[in-house]
Amino acid sequence: VGALRGASVGEVEAQHSNELRALVGELCAAGERELGVTLPPGVYDRLAAYGRSVAHFPTAVKEFDWRNGWFYEISKRALAEGKEDPMPKHTAGLVQLGVVEA
């Protein structure tokens, strides 16, 4: 969200919370399915609190292979199997940023 909006971590949490909440939900749900775990309630609130603690940090898509790339591989595999992308917002953001091809 931050890289798409040119916003710092704190600005994302304060000004784009609905968009952030939707993306976090998408990523958490796909990650839970992939790992066979259930995250405890309150994930978004804990991430938002962390974001406020590092509010001045810039946002970027970096270290792709072991951050966003892990999630993107889940999407690629689902699409290759003829399934829907479990993280369409994430994939669309990566495409918009030019990190991956459509």
Side-chain angles (χ1 to χ4, degrees), residues 21-71:
R21 186 178 295 274
L23 183 60
V24 167
E26 201 177 80
L27 297 173
C28 286
E32 285 177 325
R33 281 190 302 276
E34 181 72 11
L35 298 173
V37 301
T38 301
L39 296 172
V43 171
Y44 176 81
D45 294 331
R46 288 189 300 280
L47 287 172
Y50 172 72
R52 289 188 298 274
S53 76
V54 294
H56 63 285
F57 283 17
T59 57
V61 176
K62 59 182 182 178
E63 299 161 340
F64 179 80
D65 289 342
W66 56 278
R67 288 186 179 181
N68 295 79
W70 185 82
F71 291 102

